[in-house]
Amino acid sequence: MLKKRSVLLAGHATSVALEPEFWAVLDRIADQRGLSKAALLADIDAGRGRRPLASACRLLALDWVRTARD
Protein backbone atom coordinates (compact mmCIF):
# COMPACT_ATOMS: atom_id res chain seq x y z
CA MET A 1 0.00 0.00 0.00
CA LEU A 2 1.35 3.41 -0.95
CA LYS A 3 1.40 6.38 1.40
CA LYS A 4 1.07 9.86 -0.11
CA ARG A 5 2.81 12.96 1.16
CA SER A 6 2.11 16.44 -0.16
CA VAL A 7 4.87 18.98 -0.63
CA LEU A 8 5.48 22.33 -2.27
CA LEU A 9 8.25 22.02 -4.89
CA ALA A 10 9.41 24.95 -6.99
CA GLY A 11 6.27 26.83 -6.02
CA HIS A 12 3.90 24.03 -7.06
CA ALA A 13 1.97 21.68 -4.82
CA THR A 14 2.56 18.03 -5.61
CA SER A 15 2.26 14.71 -3.89
CA VAL A 16 4.54 11.70 -3.83
CA ALA A 17 3.27 8.18 -3.25
CA LEU A 18 5.74 5.64 -1.86
CA GLU A 19 5.67 2.50 0.19
CA PRO A 20 5.91 3.17 3.96
CA GLU A 21 9.29 1.41 4.06
CA PHE A 22 10.76 3.97 1.65
CA TRP A 23 9.28 6.86 3.64
CA ALA A 24 10.92 5.46 6.77
CA VAL A 25 14.33 5.49 5.10
CA LEU A 26 13.79 8.97 3.65
CA ASP A 27 12.79 10.21 7.11
CA ARG A 28 16.08 8.84 8.49
CA ILE A 29 18.04 10.50 5.68
CA ALA A 30 16.34 13.84 6.38
CA ASP A 31 17.10 13.52 10.10
CA GLN A 32 20.73 12.60 9.42
CA ARG A 33 21.14 15.61 7.10
CA GLY A 34 19.33 17.97 9.46
CA LEU A 35 16.62 18.66 6.88
CA SER A 36 12.87 18.73 7.01
CA LYS A 37 11.13 16.12 4.90
CA ALA A 38 10.04 18.87 2.52
CA ALA A 39 13.62 20.13 2.17
CA LEU A 40 14.87 16.62 1.43
CA LEU A 41 12.21 16.17 -1.25
CA ALA A 42 13.16 19.55 -2.72
CA ASP A 43 16.81 18.41 -2.89
CA ILE A 44 15.80 15.16 -4.56
CA ASP A 45 13.59 17.07 -6.99
CA ALA A 46 16.39 19.46 -7.91
CA GLY A 47 18.76 16.63 -8.78
CA ARG A 48 16.48 14.10 -10.43
CA GLY A 49 16.73 15.28 -14.02
CA ARG A 50 14.02 13.63 -16.10
CA ARG A 51 13.52 10.75 -13.69
CA PRO A 52 10.10 10.64 -11.96
CA LEU A 53 10.24 12.02 -8.41
CA ALA A 54 9.00 8.80 -6.81
CA SER A 55 11.70 6.81 -8.62
CA ALA A 56 14.38 9.28 -7.56
CA CYS A 57 13.20 8.96 -3.94
CA ARG A 58 13.35 5.18 -4.08
CA LEU A 59 16.82 5.19 -5.62
CA LEU A 60 18.16 7.58 -2.99
CA ALA A 61 16.70 5.39 -0.23
CA LEU A 62 18.22 2.23 -1.74
CA ASP A 63 21.61 3.89 -2.18
CA TRP A 64 21.55 5.17 1.41
CA VAL A 65 20.72 1.72 2.80
CA ARG A 66 23.39 0.11 0.61
CA THR A 67 26.01 2.63 1.77
CA ALA A 68 25.00 2.20 5.42
CA ARG A 69 25.64 -1.55 5.13
CA ASP A 70 29.18 -1.12 3.78
Side-chain angles (χ1 to χ4, degrees):
M1 178 130 179
L2 298 177
K3 181 178 177 185
K4 274 191 180 181
R5 289 194 182 172
S6 298
V7 66
L8 190 65
L9 297 175
H12 296 89
T14 190
S15 62
V16 182
L18 297 172
E19 295 78 6
E21 296 83 358
F22 282 104
W23 284 123
V25 173
L26 291 173
D27 289 344
R28 288 172 55 193
I29 294 169
D31 287 343
Q32 181 186 50
R33 294 183 181 180
L35 298 172
S36 67
K37 293 168 192 129
L40 178 63
L41 289 175
D43 283 352
I44 295 168
D45 183 52
R48 69 185 171 100
R50 297 181 61 125
R51 184 181 311 272
L53 181 56
S55 295
C57 289
R58 287 184 181 98
L59 290 174
L60 174 67
L62 288 172
D63 185 55
W64 188 83
V65 168
R66 188 178 317 127
T67 301
R69 294 176 120 190
D70 294 340

